[in-house]
Amino acid sequence: MSNEEKINELKKLQSRLYTEDNELFEKIMKLEDFINSIRITKISKQQANLLEVQFQAMRTYHQVLRARINDLQNKIFEGENKIC
């Protein structure tokens, strides 16, 4: 596989990760809105705790996706500079 083909594969993967990142970010925002809106209503302490754990896990997942995207961006940049 040529360097250019490797770069194209990395760009495809990065594009899929951007899509996943955007979808996850929307879900995080919706969950955060939901958590904030239910603080007024009555839910069990267990449900509130579980929602908070879910929220934190989603944020961690989002941070990992961003790190992967940044790593791919660096690899793409390095690969493109080898071509020039």
Side-chain angles (χ1 to χ4, degrees):
M1 181 180 285
S2 74
N3 194 44
E4 199 167 332
E5 290 171 325
K6 288 178 187 176
I7 291 170
N8 286 336
E9 287 300 313
L10 292 176
K11 286 181 178 180
K12 286 178 190 176
L13 175 57
Q14 186 183 40
S15 177
R16 289 193 300 270
L17 290 179
Y18 272 127
T19 299
E20 183 177 356
D21 178 77
N22 290 332
E23 291 170 358
L24 180 59
F25 184 74
E26 286 181 32
K27 289 178 183 180
I28 290 169
M29 292 296 99
K30 287 179 183 178
L31 180 57
E32 185 175 37
D33 289 345
F34 178 71
I35 289 170
N36 290 333
S37 72
I38 62 166
R39 294 201 191 276
I40 302 167
T41 64
K42 302 268 185 192
I43 64 167
S44 70
K45 186 170 180 81
Q46 176 69 8
Q47 284 294 313
N49 289 339
L50 290 170
L51 280 172
E52 186 60 34
V53 169
Q54 179 181 347
F55 179 71
Q56 293 304 325
M58 290 172 75
R59 288 184 58 196
T60 299
Y61 180 29
H62 189 244
Q63 290 170 344
V64 172
L65 274 175
R66 290 282 171 105
R68 290 182 65 205
I69 289 168
N70 289 336
D71 180 63
L72 285 172
Q73 185 60 45
N74 290 336
K75 287 182 177 14
I76 291 166
F77 179 77
E78 290 169 4
E80 288 176 339
N81 284 336
K82 287 180 184 177
I83 294 173
C84 297

